[in-house]
Amino acid sequence: MKTTLLVLSASSILALSACTNMSDAQQRTLSGAAIGTAAGVGIGALTGGGLLWGAAGGAAVGAVGGYVYDQYEKDQKKNSPKSNSTKSTVK
C-alpha cells in the first residue's frame, strides 16, 4: 500500500511539473486528453468493458477535442470585431 501511494504521488508530481511551459494549444490538448481518459475509464467501468480500452479511446477523443477547441478559440480571437473607439461622439 505504501509503495503504491509513493508511486502515485511521485508520478503526479512529475506530471504536474511537466506542464509549466506549455502553449495554450498544448494545455488544451492535454486537458482534453485527461478529461477524456477519466470519462473513458468511467464509461468502461459502468458498462463492464475494458478499462484500458476506455482510457485509450477517451484520451484520443479528448485530445482531438481539446485541439479542435484550441483552433476554434484562435479563430475567434483572429476574427473578433474591431472596436470603433477612435470616433468622437461629441459634435
Side-chain angles (χ1 to χ4, degrees), residues 33-84:
I35 293 167
T37 300
V41 168
I43 291 170
L46 290 174
T47 61
L51 297 181
L52 292 178
W53 286 108
V61 170
V64 169
Y67 179 77
V68 168
Y69 177 72
D70 178 66
Q71 297 304 309
Y72 171 78
E73 286 293 318
K74 285 181 182 177
D75 189 46
Q76 291 297 315
K77 285 182 183 179
K78 186 191 305 183
N79 295 330
S80 65
K82 304 284 189 243
S83 174
N84 292 332

